[in-house]
Amino acid sequence: WWSGERLDRRRLRDQLERFASGGIYNLVILNLAPSGPMFGSDADEPAFFTDAWWELLDGVCADASELGISLWFYDQLGFSGADLQARLVRDVPEYAGRWLEADGGVSTRGFDYLSADACAVLLDRVHGEFERRLGHRLGNVIVGSFQDELPSIPTWTAGFAEAFAARRGYDLTPHLPSLWKESEDEAALRVRRDYHLTRAELAEEAFFRPLAEWHERHGLLHGCDQQDPARAGHPVDGVRLYADYARTHRWFGAPGSDHHGDARIHSSLAHLYGRDRVWIEAFHSSGWGGTLEETFDWLLPWLRTGATLYNPHASYYTTKAGWYEWAPPSTDWRQPYWKHYRVFAEAVTRLCAALSLGRHVCDVAVLFPTATAQAGTRLDGVDQFAAVAQETYRALVGDMAWFQMVPGVLDRLGIDADVVDDDSVQRAAVSNGRLSVANESYGTVLLPACTVMEGETARRLLAFIEAGGRVIAIGA
């Protein structure tokens, strides 16, 4: 974290050398107080994105290159005081996020992640500026980026009704009350399902896919840890916050979470969409007293469930002689265990590398109940059937939250499983009692209280059954 005191090039060089001596060769650069004091930190100096900041970062890139260290940048779009979206909305008010109200009106707040125009300008202001300022560093010294806790996707945008009619084949306007009214009427459920699907497609096309394409163009990975509890793989909360969590987050090169989240949903997306790595940011606010042995113990369940890129939280440019700290500890030379850190770092490196090789093999798939969650997620609450689907899903896969980990039924039975999204089921091949997609092949598919299903998903599962596969419907 480049925060707490004025940055000095020589001090940063010294810190890079210390990291290398501890076996750390990848560093994410973040700003805690980019536009003013935050979390006990003085305002960052030099200020984020100023000429002096860019000049310093370019110099640090040169030092990192000498030392064989790779750098990642933080896009400051989620957890941040940079106010990048707010500044853009100030300049272009129509880029504000739009939110449907029960009285038929539309309010504005936040940023419009459903607008392709708004997102193109936002990505240009951040990623485009990295390209303009440090294009010569991208893909060599700078190898990736990180996004943390992106704000929620809005519920409306200019042209939403027209996009809905073109994609779904009917007019949404007369059916808007269905988005609030609790109902098990099939027509109402279809409206909600179609509404959230359209919302997800617009977000995917406006923000998530262009973000992925920019990284791919420059040969960069991009990791993520999004808002809780979507990052924990909760289907309903994934709809509420991001419209369709699997559809929008399959685009990340290293999908993942922090230690409040879940590795299984992200490792499954990696398996199904050809991603090499799965992010785990941990273990912030665990305190200064944790040891390397304890950290390794905390980390093992995440590695077992598919995380393959460990991002320790965190190291601070300064702790101001001990009185400045934020989300301690600082996992670096300030710790008494530092002289042993290389042994730990190399062990984690070997594990993550080994777990990234080869092909993941498991026999069981759990359908991520997105369609059920979308049909039951109103703009003012959740219908009971969707809540049951979410709880049934969680009972199967468990809860990985670091401070209170709860093994799911599958874990207790010693059964490995992937979580599969609708698109993966629909593009899968069926033969000899197997459902095969990407490099995965499943003999059993579990349906966690799925009362609503996409038609093509149902047809593909029926073909799977007819070919000798096994589908187990749990609950409804």
Side-chain angles (χ1 to χ4, degrees):
W1 291 85
W2 277 14
S3 303
E5 285 188 89
R6 178 175 179 79
L7 298 176
D8 176 79
R9 169 77 183 278
R10 291 176 63 185
R11 185 174 174 184
L12 287 167
R13 167 75 188 214
D14 175 68
Q15 292 185 356
L16 286 176
E17 291 174 354
R18 290 188 181 205
F19 281 124
S21 73
I24 296 174
Y25 294 99
N26 282 267
L27 296 163
V28 186
I29 295 172
L30 308 90
N31 279 77
L32 182 63
S35 57
M38 281 188 73
F39 297 102
S41 172
D42 295 334
D44 294 336
E45 189 181 3
F48 179 65
F49 261 38
T50 58
D51 288 342
W53 186 87
W54 285 109
E55 182 179 352
L56 189 65
L57 179 55
D58 192 30
V60 168
C61 284
D63 289 336
S65 181
E66 262 185 51
L67 296 167
I69 289 175
S70 297
L71 301 178
W72 302 60
F73 69 87
Y74 179 55
D75 63 21
Q76 303 281 162
L77 294 180
F79 176 88
S80 175
D83 302 322
L84 295 167
Q85 295 94 319
R87 295 170 192 269
L88 180 51
V89 169
R90 175 199 61 195
D91 297 341
V92 189
E94 56 265 36
Y95 290 167
R98 305 185 187 193
W99 302 80
L100 286 171
E101 303 294 340
D103 62 4
V106 176
S107 62
T108 58
R109 70 176 186 275
F111 185 76
D112 191 355
Y113 297 99
L114 304 180
S115 164
D117 291 342
C119 291
V121 176
L122 177 64
L123 294 176
D124 182 68
R125 283 199 174 189
V126 181
H127 299 76
E129 192 66 3
F130 271 93
E131 189 172 353
R132 288 184 286 273
R133 298 271 194 164
L134 293 177
H136 58 296
R137 305 290 189 190
L138 298 179
N140 45 76
V141 180
I142 296 176
V143 298
S145 78
F146 177 50
Q147 183 175 104
D148 193 39
E149 299 176 17
L150 185 75
S152 305
I153 302 303
T155 60
W156 198 251
T157 189
F160 189 100
E162 293 80 3
F164 183 96
R167 294 161 190 254
R168 310 281 88 90
Y170 63 98
D171 183 9
L172 173 63
T173 310
H175 303 288
L176 285 174
S178 298
L179 301 181
W180 282 272
K181 183 180 177 182
E182 187 168 0
S183 173
E184 292 192 12
D185 176 70
E186 188 173 327
L189 300 187
R190 179 189 175 193
V191 169
R192 284 193 221 145
R193 158 68 184 152
D194 287 349
Y195 162 76
H196 286 300
L197 176 58
T198 303
R199 182 173 162 238
E201 288 174 347
L202 291 176
E204 178 184 32
E205 294 162 13
F207 181 78
F208 293 96
R209 186 186 296 167
L211 179 66
E213 290 171 347
W214 185 89
H215 284 82
E216 187 175 342
R217 191 162 65 248
H218 292 286
L220 308 178
L221 269 182
H222 63 317
C224 67
D225 160 40
Q226 304 295 31
Q227 286 191 70
D228 200 41
R231 63 187 172 198
H234 294 194
V236 168
D237 296 300
V239 169
R240 182 173 55 83
L241 294 170
Y242 300 112
D244 179 338
Y245 190 77
R247 176 181 290 274
T248 50
H249 286 77
R250 62 186 177 179
W251 292 98
F252 282 91
S257 72
D258 72 2
H259 60 248
H260 295 272
D262 174 68
R264 192 187 305 271
I265 180 64
H266 300 104
S267 62
S268 299
L269 289 175
H271 301 154
L272 295 166
Y273 290 96
R275 311 308 184 199
D276 293 328
R277 293 281 183 156
V278 178
W279 198 276
I280 170 58
E281 175 213 313
F283 296 91
H284 69 74
S285 305
S286 54
W288 286 98
T291 66
L292 290 180
E293 292 88 345
E294 287 173 316
T295 305
F296 194 70
D297 188 51
W298 299 335
L299 185 58
L300 284 176
W302 294 89
L303 300 181
R304 178 184 64 80
T305 318
T308 54
L309 188 55
Y310 173 47
N311 166 212
H313 191 301
S315 184
Y316 301 106
Y317 173 72
T318 179
T319 56
K320 282 191 178 176
W323 72 261
Y324 164 66
E325 63 175 48
W326 176 73
S330 191
T331 53
D332 53 32
W333 53 90
R334 299 178 176 93
Q335 290 282 12
Y337 56 60
W338 181 250
K339 62 184 177 181
H340 307 296
Y341 200 86
R342 175 176 283 276
V343 177
F344 169 81
E346 290 181 351
V348 173
T349 296
R350 287 192 299 271
L351 274 170
C352 288
L355 292 168
S356 300
L357 299 172
R359 181 174 69 87
H360 175 246
V361 177
C362 74
D363 191 59
V364 177
V366 180
L367 181 67
F368 199 51
T370 298
T372 300
Q374 289 175 327
T377 300
R378 310 187 309 273
L379 296 184
D380 62 347
V382 180
D383 285 0
Q384 181 62 22
F385 70 88
V388 169
Q390 174 158 291
E391 290 312 306
T392 304
Y393 170 83
R394 293 183 64 199
L396 284 171
V397 303
D399 189 337
M400 288 199 66
W402 160 71
F403 51 87
Q404 191 176 0
M405 195 171 288
V406 180
V409 172
L410 293 169
D411 288 324
R412 295 199 299 271
L413 293 173
I415 296 173
D416 190 16
D418 268 335
V419 175
V420 296
D421 59 317
D422 286 283
D423 276 9
S424 294
V425 173
Q426 292 172 20
R427 63 193 170 95
V430 174
S431 65
N432 300 321
R434 309 294 297 180
L435 188 73
S436 301
V437 55
N439 285 324
E440 301 289 332
S441 178
Y442 312 107
T444 299
V445 177
L446 307 181
L447 308 181
C450 296
T451 56
V452 178
M453 190 177 292
E454 287 193 13
E456 189 53 39
T457 299
R459 283 187 284 274
R460 181 61 52 178
L461 290 177
L462 183 58
F464 172 57
I465 292 167
E466 291 171 344
R470 181 169 59 172
V471 173
I472 301 175
I474 300 162

